[in-house]
Amino acid sequence: MRMIPEETQCMVIDMQEKLLPAMYNRRDCEDRVLMLVRGLRALEIPLLVTQQYTKGLGNSVPQVYEAAGSEEFFDKRTFSCAQDENIVAALKDRNRKNVIICGTEAHVCVLQTCIDLKAMGYQPILVTDAIASRKKNDLKMAIQRAIQEDILVTTAEALLFELTVDSRNPHFREISTLVK
């Protein structure tokens, strides 16, 4: 199945100030999430940022807001974003079946969101180099479980070029520069 821009949206899950320092692969994840978000924004793919219990875990890191071009976010208490009625309403309003998923923690909020979105009829796309967990094995198992659940998996660069389609896309140079 090919990713088509007009059928695709993105959810950035819990890239928060107090949560990220505990991630074993924090820097790699953060770099890839920011590259992905900048590229998706250039391609005009709608973005939705979530935060788990903002009062306790803080806001998303400032670079996420900058890359997204907005400080808007959805505060949640459920692990799965698909269990929060405000987030689900926002997804439905965009009317796009493919949902790109990145963020933390891979084996909790990210994985549960993917599983629930799949059950709701969406096609989640897990960006494996743009997710993180506290422990390496939890990250590995989250990706393995996602594959078992028939979730599409890819990398940030592969996804951006798939959505760009070809070198005639007016955003091709910008995407090429971002991935270098």
Side-chain angles (χ1 to χ4, degrees), residues 60-93:
S60 296
V61 292
Q63 300 91 320
V64 168
Y65 299 128
E66 180 186 320
S70 171
E71 292 188 16
E72 182 182 343
F73 66 89
F74 288 85
D75 189 37
K76 66 182 179 70
R77 296 298 289 268
T78 60
F79 295 132
S80 170
C81 296
Q83 296 294 320
D84 182 285
E85 62 186 37
N86 294 320
I87 295 170
V88 171
L91 288 172
K92 287 180 181 176
D93 285 348

Side-chain angles (χ1 to χ4, degrees), residues 81 104 112 118 138 152-153:
C81 296
T104 66
Q112 289 181 34
K118 184 78 175 178
D138 285 331
L152 292 180
V153 295

Side-chain angles (χ1 to χ4, degrees), residues 111 126 142-153:
L111 180 62
L126 182 62
I143 294 168
Q144 185 177 338
R145 171 83 186 273
I147 292 167
Q148 290 169 347
E149 296 287 344
D150 205 23
I151 308 297
L152 292 180
V153 295

